[in-house]
Amino acid sequence: MHRVTFVPANDKMEYFKLMSNHTIPSVGLGTWKSGSQARYSVESAIVEAGYRHIDTAWAYDVEKEVGDGIKAAIHAGVERTDLFVTSKLWCTDLTPERVRPAFENTLKKLQLDYLDLYLIHWPFRLKEGASMPPKAGDVLEFDMKGVWREMERLAADGLVRDIGISNFSVAKLTKLLSFALVKPSVCQMEMHPGWRNEKMLNACKEHGIHATAYSPLGSGGKIDLLNDPVVVKVAKKLEKTPAQILVRWALQRGTSVIPKSSNPDRIKENIQVFGWEIPEEDFDSLSIFKQQKRIMDGENLFVNETDGPFKSVEELWDYEDIPPLKIAP
């Protein structure tokens, strides 16, 4: 069986233990593209649905709204120490002298005294005003070592409990580990049955780095997993929703997961994944989908086929065994 040992907390949540000995709630709320609804989604998720893990980023432009939602939840009686809040350092701030000011700006917007996790959002430094996708000259030299040292200082100063990375290739992770005094506790990446991202997941496991899966229900609608016949069949068999099957599949792989939604009913649905398992034969049937590579919207931010520094998805991801994208007619 594909079983994972969780750190027990209560009957409504399962936790993973990080190498720092801190714990991360296994299911969190993603806030990408949540807009003005972020404040209410966050409050509802925490107070009504029992979420304790909230994921956001400077680039989502909702940190103030997320902070308002967290503040409302705390006012309703939830302890800050029971929450796990993640944000991310954007590409224009990937230079040592900008790390701390960017972090402090995020902390101010979130109205918090500390973060539980701070990630490098993408491992590419952009100049101010860069077009998206970037043109030639928009991507600058990334002093990864210098930036990571500043991330380590944030942790040493008690401003963030754990530091980590997002959207790294194995090659970039290997480079980071060659000089890191503090290993990244978490690596966040796109993962779902349509893109299992096994090479990166295995690299994380090898180094004791916990993986968090984003876009667990598919890539912004480009992979329609919620209506996939295999997913629907397993959902009917177990009397669950397709979304619950996809979230549970991620948990049984040993990853935490951050499905995003602004719909209160779906927010509640997505966390009702504890106290049951996907049987091995069904888990296996969800783990053999044809891989369609990473095709989430974020790549459209960077791939510029005409005059960009990254002219293909393969180049963006360091040519790491990515199956070619096939677009249906």
Side-chain angles (χ1 to χ4, degrees), residues 61-111:
D61 197 27
V62 293
E63 286 181 323
K64 174 61 167 60
E65 291 78 4
V66 169
D68 288 341
I70 292 171
K71 185 176 180 179
I74 292 173
H75 182 73
V78 177
E79 296 290 337
R80 167 64 182 99
T81 52
D82 290 337
L83 298 177
F84 189 100
V85 183
T86 300
S87 195
K88 308 177 189 78
L89 178 70
W90 183 239
C91 304
T92 51
D93 293 314
L94 286 183
T95 183
E97 67 274 11
R98 296 187 66 158
V99 173
R100 187 168 294 246
F103 176 86
E104 290 174 346
N105 184 47
T106 279
L107 212 56
K108 182 178 179 180
K109 285 187 174 183
L110 289 171
Q111 305 160 66

Side-chain angles (χ1 to χ4, degrees), residues 1-6 14 16 196 198 201-202 205 247-255 273 276-288:
M1 290 292 291
H2 300 270
R3 296 184 181 276
V4 174
T5 300
F6 294 94
E14 296 170 341
F16 289 101
R196 295 187 298 274
E198 288 176 341
L201 179 59
N202 289 335
K205 289 180 177 178
V247 171
R248 186 69 217 181
W249 177 86
L251 298 184
Q252 288 180 218
R253 291 184 89 208
T255 70
V273 291
W276 57 277
E277 282 195 342
I278 301 172
E280 185 170 12
E281 61 179 4
D282 297 312
F283 181 95
D284 290 342
S285 73
L286 295 166
S287 303
I288 57 173

